Amino acid sequence: MKTFLAMVVFSVFWLSTVSSLTCDFPSNLWCSSTEIARACKVEQQCADRISADSGTRAPKVNFGVYYECICPDSIQFINSQLSPTFLKIGSIINLELVPYGKAKEKHVELLKWESTCHHGQDECLGNLIQTCVIHILGNMSKIYPFVDCMEQFGMWPDTSGQTCAERLGVDYKAIMNCVDGPLGSKLEHQIDKLDPPLTSVPWVTLNGVHTPEIQNEAETDLLRLICDTYTGIKPKACQQDKSSP
């Protein structure tokens, strides 16, 4: 009983101390905690740093994009919605990229599959290049610039892949070894193809869920959709988005 009372007293003391904080801290400490930031009235300005530094921050928003590398609608979505959003608030997004779309695969021999793609063999090549890039680079901070670069070109994945690799300092020979060898075939066979299958491209999921409403919001204002879904302290870009007309 005494232990319980002591805990209650400590909790009340701690809460009263936090709630009564005044901004008696040097400016270099204002973003060191949520409580100090709140006392100094800079909580929103410090949101990005506090979110990044906090060991108990809210989970990232899981966002999946199932696309085809030279599909006009996929290119439009990536260039107009996904890239600007990921650039601004990528720190709160757990992004999954699946370059496959409506492709169909055929098992041709032991451990080898061949794909037929919605927009022809150039698209199959581009999808496979990006699948190998995702596998080889591993980290989305390295993967996304490569994918974004290719999608800015739009077409001709054989040319854009090599050009983007040179621009970003990526070993293109390693990528093509994957594409031309058994690893690429295996990776594409193992790709998440959704069940039931998608019916349009691009196809998005938000925290593992796809609905027509989520799809429409993502294509209209992805930044706002991610910001509204995130349960932690909103990054500054989210606040700027809400203040815009």
Side-chain angles (χ1 to χ4, degrees), residues 67-76 118-119 123 151 154 201-202:
Y67 65 103
E68 299 162 344
C69 78
I70 64 172
C71 163
D73 290 337
S74 294
I75 294 169
Q76 168 69 17
H118 191 194
H119 297 91
E123 183 165 86
E151 295 309 313
V201 179

Side-chain angles (χ1 to χ4, degrees), residues 25-152:
F25 305 92
S27 59
N28 64 308
L29 295 179
W30 285 0
C31 295
S32 62
S33 78
T34 301
E35 292 75 22
I36 294 175
R38 186 177 298 122
C40 296
K41 297 181 170 51
V42 291
E43 190 172 5
Q44 292 304 331
Q45 292 89 331
C46 293
D48 287 343
R49 176 173 165 184
I50 292 172
S51 177
D53 292 344
S54 172
T56 58
R57 70 176 185 175
K60 294 183 178 184
V61 177
N62 294 316
F63 189 70
V65 184
Y66 298 75
Y67 65 103
E68 299 162 344
C69 78
I70 64 172
C71 163
D73 290 337
S74 294
I75 294 169
Q76 168 69 17
F77 175 73
I78 290 171
N79 289 337
S80 67
Q81 293 293 335
L82 185 59
S83 289
T85 298
F86 194 71
L87 177 65
K88 292 176 182 177
I89 58 169
S91 62
I92 65 170
I93 304 173
N94 181 29
L95 180 62
E96 180 185 17
L97 296 173
V98 186
Y100 194 79
K102 294 183 178 180
K104 305 293 183 185
E105 70 172 9
K106 179 175 64 174
H107 189 194
V108 292
E109 59 183 72
L110 183 64
L111 301 180
K112 184 175 181 180
W113 294 262
E114 289 182 354
S115 294
T116 303
C117 296
H118 191 194
H119 297 91
Q121 286 308 112
D122 276 352
E123 183 165 86
C124 285
L125 174 60
N127 288 347
L128 192 49
I129 288 173
Q130 293 188 16
T131 296
C132 287
V133 165
I134 291 167
H135 174 76
I136 291 170
L137 299 185
N139 189 300
M140 192 54 68
S141 65
K142 297 178 180 179
I143 294 166
Y144 197 79
F146 195 104
V147 171
D148 176 58
C149 177
M150 283 190 67
E151 295 309 313
Q152 287 184 35

Side-chain angles (χ1 to χ4, degrees), residues 206-232:
L206 183 70
N207 287 333
V209 177
H210 173 90
T211 68
E213 292 77 17
I214 289 172
Q215 184 76 33
N216 182 63
E217 288 193 39
E219 293 180 352
T220 303
D221 192 344
L222 179 60
L223 178 64
R224 183 161 298 186
L225 174 62
I226 299 296
C227 288
D228 288 348
T229 304
Y230 184 59
T231 57

